[in-house]
Amino acid sequence: MKTDITDLMLYCEWDEESDEYPEDTTWFEKSSCQYFQTDTLIDEFGYESYEDIKNCGYFIPVFRRSEQEIMRDFVDLYGDKSVSDTIQRMIDDEDKEFGVAFRIYAEVHPDFSDSYLKYENEILETDAKKWADENGVEFFSDYDPDRKVNLDVLCGLFYYEENSVPDYTRWWLSKKDHSTIDQSDINRKLDSEELTKEEFERDYILIPAVTEAQAKEAGKDWDEYVAEVAKKWCEENKIRWYIPTNKPEHIKV
């Protein structure tokens, strides 16, 4: 069983101000390494309840990490009383939930936001590795030959409007972990020396820009042409791909 650590980190985070337990529990299907919500498995695939899913033996419940708990811990560790005072004032005067007030403050204080994102990432990564170890789930390694890219998601990055702004609509794929990044972030990383020129040339592949005019010239529907170009590009760059079924392998009938 293998999964991407960033996927697990995404699915484990729980917004206790809006999500409900157990309806919003995320499950990891051991055989397919896909993720599903409790309500999806019940509404669409025949399961009757949280306990029914748990007892079938095909799925592992992903651990939950409270987003608000991480935020509160970070505010305490940040050590600036004006931060907690401002957030509390929004809660009291504007009737905001803590998470909403925190995000509003972070939006206008980029240094605070950057520090929080780093802290959050460290917490979630630690918890994800612990959960994976306890459940015998492996992560894809860097340059892992078993890794595949979701073709549906990848194709979405090929579309290019003639009047688009290139820095925000041209994308690169990382050979290292198949993450994607737009041209503006590439420029920022290079300018700040967060990414060296050598690393960039070694690890990133430019995703082609496919316009509707090019599709028409080839006598094909735009969607059809993008899929064709994407598959050929993957083959040329030795990138494995898959098209998700969005269905578990174990459907209860």
Side-chain angles (χ1 to χ4, degrees), residues 133-187:
D133 184 60
E134 291 172 349
N135 289 282
V137 177
E138 296 181 29
F139 294 123
F140 289 112
S141 59
D142 292 346
Y143 311 103
D144 197 318
D146 292 332
R147 191 187 291 274
K148 297 180 181 179
V149 66
N150 182 327
L151 188 68
D152 288 346
V153 173
L154 180 66
C155 282
L157 305 179
F158 278 69
Y159 291 93
Y160 187 75
E161 299 281 355
E162 282 81 351
N163 60 352
S164 297
V165 180
D167 278 3
Y168 297 96
T169 53
R170 295 305 308 275
W171 292 85
W172 297 79
L173 180 82
S174 168
K175 297 179 187 177
K176 182 178 179 180
D177 58 11
H178 287 179
S179 60
T180 55
I181 184 171
D182 68 25
Q183 184 64 57
S184 63
D185 277 340
I186 286 287
N187 294 342

Side-chain angles (χ1 to χ4, degrees), residues 77-131:
L77 289 170
Y78 199 68
D80 186 339
K81 191 172 183 301
S82 67
V83 174
S84 55
D85 288 347
T86 301
I87 292 174
Q88 190 61 49
R89 189 160 51 248
M90 282 190 276
I91 294 171
D92 295 338
D93 297 347
E94 302 175 32
D95 196 28
K96 303 287 188 185
E97 297 281 359
F98 176 82
V100 174
F102 181 97
R103 293 185 187 96
I104 291 173
Y105 183 88
E107 282 180 5
V108 295
H109 295 85
D111 289 343
F112 175 85
S113 178
D114 290 346
S115 296
Y116 171 70
L117 291 175
K118 181 179 179 181
Y119 173 78
E120 177 189 46
N121 188 72
E122 290 172 351
I123 295 294
L124 296 179
E125 183 174 345
T126 297
D127 287 354
K129 288 179 177 179
K130 179 181 178 183
W131 177 88

